[in-house]
Each structure stands twice: as structure tokens, then as C-alpha cells.
Amino acid sequence: MERGSAVDQELSAVLNELWKLDVNRLKPGKDYTINLQGKADYVAQGSNRANDKANAPLFTYVNEGKLKSIPTYARFISLLDNYEMSTGVSEQVTSQEQEEENLFLDAILKTEVMKHAHQHLVSKKQASADVALFKKQLFDIWFKLYHRDKSGGEDSCGFEHVFVGETKYRKEIMGLHNWVQFYLQEKLKCVDYKGYKATDRDKPTANDHVVNLQFSWKDLVKPTGSSFIGVSPEFEMALFTIAFLMSNDRLTKTVVKVDKYLIEIVMCRHGRAIGTSYPKLLTRDP
């Protein structure tokens, strides 16, 4: 196994249960199509030059009608334009945006995925059985603003970093690990997919639900990003919330086997909130 890390069997079992319950996961080749194209070159962190090994976008097709007909996706999409791209620029949260956060949390809490995650966290004494208290806990972990850049006001939150993406001094991309945001930004010509990152043995396919990739966003390059593809917002919220609450360490890297994917879940805390979290694909079953 890569890097000698043992698979966390207990967490893997919980995540596979969530995977089975994720009825809102889209089907590759039917609900969306990706075009992986070439293997991306090495790019040093901080460099904004990358050879483009993919002339076409990553997403050839996404059934947007289906996305907008599923409450959790519709609520999720409404949140994506609520944030300032650059850290150091204070976020101003309007009452409409607060309502959108509220509606999104209500929508995910109605799903079997989030209900199961909640039950698991209650069993581990990491969450209250009271749904209203659990919702408040989710809000604090994901949406409570904090200082990421010491020079400015409250400029970031876990949701913005993980799902929306932000920039550091407008020189480096941070976060942006969500496939829906990637697709929407690609459609706006703000994201340019540069190719996949993998060994020859682990070359990804268009049916894969986890991909390591390289891209630029508004002319800044992310040398290696990683993302689930096609999974629902509630699945990612559930997975990362569980990963966050299972450890108090500032940085944890946990190896799990979900479906056919061996993944390292990287979790970085920012006090009592999520700093960043993402899946890093290690290998997959053929």
C-alpha cells in the first residue's frame, strides 16, 4: 500500500454506507460526461505556467436541469457566488446569503446521507441527537467566518475554501475541490483544465468518481487539485464533517477505501472550523 498507511476500516465502513445512500450522485456517461485528455506536466507550487495537455474542457456535458431539480444541488449552487475570491478581503454576509446557508443546511439534513452521518456522530458522542443543535454545529464548522489572512477582517470559511475556492494574495489558488463549482467556472471560461495527474498504472477513466487534476483559475495555476466527480453536496459535507470531528489534530491524513477508490482524506483544522479538506486519490481497483 502507498506510503505504508493502514486503511481506517471503521471510517471506510461508514463512508461506504454513505456512498450507497447517495441517491443524488450523478451517473457518468448519462448525467454528465468528462473528457480527461492528456496527463498534466509537473508544475512547481507557486508557478503560474503550465503546459496545457487538454485542449477541450474537462466537462463535455452536465445535465443542469437535473442538477437544478435536486434541492441539495440547487441550494448548493445558490451559495457559490456569495464569496470574495481573495483572502484579506472581508466577507460581507447579507441576510439573503444567511437564508441561503440556512436553506442549504435544511436540504442536506433531509437526505439519508446526512441522517446516517448524524447517527454515526451521535453514536461517537461527537454530535447532539437534537437536529437543531447538529445544524448549528454544521454551521459553525462550515459557514462561520474566520481570519485566514492576518492582515484583514473575517475573510474566509470552510465552505468557501473547500467548495468555492479562494486565492492567496491573488497569486495562488487555495481550495476549489468541488466538481459543480469546477464545471460552472469552466463554463464561464474562468477555469481552464490542463490535464489529469496520475501514474501510468492508475490512468483515470471517464467513469471515475475521484480524479486528481491540474487547472488554472482566473490565470492562476493549481499544480495538483483533487475532486470527487458526480457525488452530491451532502455526501461531501457528510464525509468531511465526520473526518473533521474524529480528530482534534490540526492536520490529519486518513486513508480510506470507498467503493473502488483508495483515498487519502486530508483535513486541516482552523480552530473549531474546517480550514481545508479534500480527497487525494492514491489508487483504485481496475
Side-chain angles (χ1 to χ4, degrees):
M1 178 168 302
E2 298 223 7
R3 303 189 194 166
S5 301
V7 173
D8 186 322
Q9 300 292 354
E10 186 183 11
L11 184 58
S12 297
V14 174
L15 298 181
N16 278 297
E17 203 51 48
L18 298 181
W19 187 263
K20 283 184 205 139
L21 291 169
D22 192 16
V23 294
N24 289 333
R25 183 169 64 248
L26 299 195
K27 291 180 176 59
K30 180 175 177 250
D31 300 321
Y32 69 91
T33 309
I34 60 171
N35 181 8
L36 288 156
Q37 303 163 80
K39 181 178 171 179
D41 288 341
Y42 169 79
V43 173
Q45 190 67 39
S47 166
N48 282 312
R49 289 196 178 153
N51 294 328
D52 199 340
K53 295 304 181 87
N55 292 327
L58 174 62
F59 286 93
T60 306
Y61 164 75
V62 173
N63 183 341
E64 281 194 47
K66 179 156 187 174
L67 280 191
K68 287 166 183 169
S69 73
I70 300 169
T72 54
Y73 284 100
R75 298 294 184 202
F76 178 80
I77 289 166
S78 73
L79 287 172
L80 295 176
D81 61 0
N82 287 355
Y83 300 94
E84 272 294 333
M85 185 177 173
S86 187
T87 60
V89 180
S90 290
E91 297 289 353
Q92 305 298 326
V93 183
T94 67
S95 57
Q96 183 193 341
E97 286 168 359
Q98 282 178 325
E99 181 61 7
E100 286 171 354
E101 292 166 356
N102 199 26
L103 290 169
F104 172 65
L105 290 174
D106 285 344
I108 65 171
L109 283 164
K110 288 190 179 112
T111 66
E112 292 306 313
V113 166
M114 213 64 200
K115 285 178 185 172
H116 187 75
H118 184 201
Q119 285 165 2
H120 172 72
L121 289 167
V122 171
S123 77
K124 291 290 180 186
K125 301 193 167 34
Q126 294 300 320
S128 164
D130 184 311
V131 177
L133 289 176
F134 181 52
K135 179 181 172 183
K136 168 76 169 63
Q137 186 180 18
L138 288 173
F139 176 85
D140 289 348
I141 291 169
W142 287 102
F143 291 106
K144 205 167 191 178
L145 292 173
Y146 52 71
H147 300 256
R148 195 179 286 276
D149 185 316
K150 303 284 188 292
S151 65
E154 293 181 326
D155 60 356
S156 187
C157 66
F159 183 89
E160 175 183 13
H161 185 94
V162 174
F163 294 111
V164 185
E166 53 193 353
T167 63
K168 190 176 184 178
Y169 313 124
R170 296 200 182 274
K171 288 183 180 167
E172 185 186 327
I173 300 171
M174 303 195 301
L176 210 173
H177 296 287
N178 177 261
W179 73 272
V180 177
Q181 169 72 338
F182 191 99
Y183 161 69
L184 293 171
Q185 289 292 307
E186 196 173 56
K187 205 170 89 162
L188 291 169
K189 305 274 191 287
C190 294
V191 157
D192 182 10
Y193 170 65
K194 304 289 187 189
Y196 65 85
K197 297 288 287 181
T199 63
D200 293 337
R201 185 170 59 90
D202 279 323
K203 187 180 174 187
T205 75
N207 290 328
D208 281 348
H209 280 292
V210 197
V211 178
N212 297 335
L213 38 82
Q214 187 179 95
F215 62 93
S216 66
W217 185 35
K218 299 182 181 176
D219 300 324
L220 299 175
V221 170
K222 180 112 175 173
T224 305
S226 52
S227 181
F228 286 106
I229 308 281
V231 303
S232 71
E234 58 266 30
F235 177 81
E236 292 194 73
M237 289 285 287
L239 183 159
F240 294 139
T241 300
I242 291 169
F244 174 79
L245 289 171
M246 63 180 254
S247 169
N248 287 319
D249 294 341
R250 202 185 77 76
L251 178 67
T252 52
K253 295 181 177 183
T254 313
V255 177
V256 291
K257 180 78 181 285
V258 182
D259 192 51
K260 64 179 183 178
Y261 308 101
L262 189 71
I263 304 167
E264 183 178 72
I265 303 292
V266 180
M267 171 61 65
C268 186
R269 298 177 74 91
H270 195 288
R272 295 186 178 182
I274 285 177
T276 187
S277 194
Y278 55 90
K280 183 179 171 189
L281 180 64
L282 299 177
T283 184
R284 75 189 196 304
D285 296 343

